[in-house]
Amino acid sequence: MAEKKTINILGSCVSRDTFGMFEDDGGFDIQRCVTNSSIFSVCSPKLYKDLSLTENDFPNSRHNFQKRCAALDISKKVFEYIKEIESDFLIIDLGNLISRKIIKVRKKDCIDEYDFTYITLTKALEENIDIMESLGVELLETFSSYEDELSMVGFMYQYAEMIKENFDEDKVIIIEITTTERYVSDDGEIKLFRYGLDKMDAKKHCLALCYEILKNALPNAHVIKLPCVEIMANYNHKWGINLLHYVTEFYEYLLKCVRVIAYNSNREYEEILLEDVRTMFEQLINERYGSITDGQYTLRNTSSINSRFVKYGSKVIILPSAEGGHGQYTFSVFVKKKYDSKWRKVNVSKNNIAVYKPHEKALYDVCVKVRDMNNVEKKVYLEFTVR
């Protein structure tokens, strides 16, 4: 078995979820990860020469990872932290351009209008906003990257140069992403986002422009191209609904592409393999989502029982099954007497068979639930009579 390749991540949740969505991080060893530190912040000057915040400076936040990312962002130590441990590859995505807002700040005693810097408005900073007072800074402006395209482009060129100066270009993997306009709901309906649509074009333009700058500046980096199909968001994503929280298939695509790059030393062959994976994925997405005309996800619950009429003392065989969606499927089976309020869970075997022995002559209800890898759930209700 090949030794695990090591990965460092600099970008947004998309890159981290490419591995975190799967058991054992998809077979990779994640060593360093910083997400949602804006390019404006990374490329702008320090507030103070020796500023070094730690996780302890964010007492109102629960998650150490969020604390760490905020501390590194404000201290301007993102690249320093990533470089502490050398990895086989550095994964980069540009979701940080649109995932968090940016604040423009300066020291309160500063009289030079050009003496300012940028900080990412991370969740940890929002939860510990008093830190602004302790740092002795005042807020000048809050905005998003795509609202200042001129500065964004300038910082993007600077960001690319910083990557070239700090990392081996041949070890950099660029993941292309974009925003989603539709999502798969909890019950499998395909719905349009109700918020942010007025800024969707600006966000897409921002990402596309900055990816072109980054790829041109790093011609020897590996690139995982965005598929030429609509990628939908997932209401049941492990971190909740968001424009950058995709259906599971997209993370599978990204992970397969990373494996191609990580375990192949021939760059020409790599390009061929990556294109094959992309074509295969585009076909898969078209089959699962492209044919949807009624706004419904393709998962169907096809479960059944062996008989609607059961002799007292006999067992009922319940056969959970499903079609469509994105298998693997997870089944749950519940049984109750018709007019009872409480359901009783029935174990489902590895062969997807549930066996129930009723203890009374009565009319019974059966509920079979199926969930696929996108966590979409479909229920079916069956009934049988014991006589």
Side-chain angles (χ1 to χ4, degrees), residues 350-367:
K350 292 182 179 180
N351 296 324
N352 292 332
I353 297 175
V355 179
Y356 179 72
K357 185 175 181 179
H359 299 289
E360 297 181 36
K361 294 181 179 179
L363 181 61
Y364 287 80
D365 286 329
V366 178
C367 175

Side-chain angles (χ1 to χ4, degrees), residues 207-245:
L207 286 169
L209 174 61
C210 289
Y211 271 119
E212 282 306 305
I213 293 172
L214 185 62
K215 289 187 293 183
N216 289 333
L218 303 174
N220 293 319
H222 309 264
V223 179
I224 300 178
K225 296 179 181 178
L226 189 68
C228 297
V229 289
E230 179 188 9
I231 309 298
M232 294 187 186
N234 183 4
Y235 181 88
N236 291 308
H237 190 282
K238 66 188 293 186
W239 305 122
I241 185 69
N242 185 277
L243 299 176
L244 297 179
H245 291 174

Side-chain angles (χ1 to χ4, degrees), residues 10 38-40 42-44 79 90 92-94 96-97 151-170 172 174 209-221:
L10 180 57
S38 73
I39 291 170
F40 277 66
V42 171
C43 296
S44 59
F79 275 74
L90 172 67
I92 294 176
D93 75 75
L94 298 182
N96 47 18
L97 285 167
S151 296
M152 180 190 71
V153 169
F155 279 130
M156 196 63 229
Y157 280 107
Q158 184 180 340
Y159 189 65
E161 286 303 313
M162 290 172 69
I163 292 170
K164 291 175 71 173
E165 290 171 5
N166 286 278
F167 304 101
D168 184 346
E169 197 175 325
D170 286 325
V172 174
I174 300 170
L209 174 61
C210 289
Y211 271 119
E212 282 306 305
I213 293 172
L214 185 62
K215 289 187 293 183
N216 289 333
L218 303 174
N220 293 319

Side-chain angles (χ1 to χ4, degrees), residues 74-91:
I74 298 172
S75 303
K76 310 298 182 184
K77 292 188 174 182
V78 170
F79 275 74
E80 182 180 321
Y81 174 76
I82 292 288
K83 286 175 60 181
E84 280 181 356
I85 299 180
E86 185 177 357
S87 66
D88 293 316
F89 293 96
L90 172 67
I91 305 285

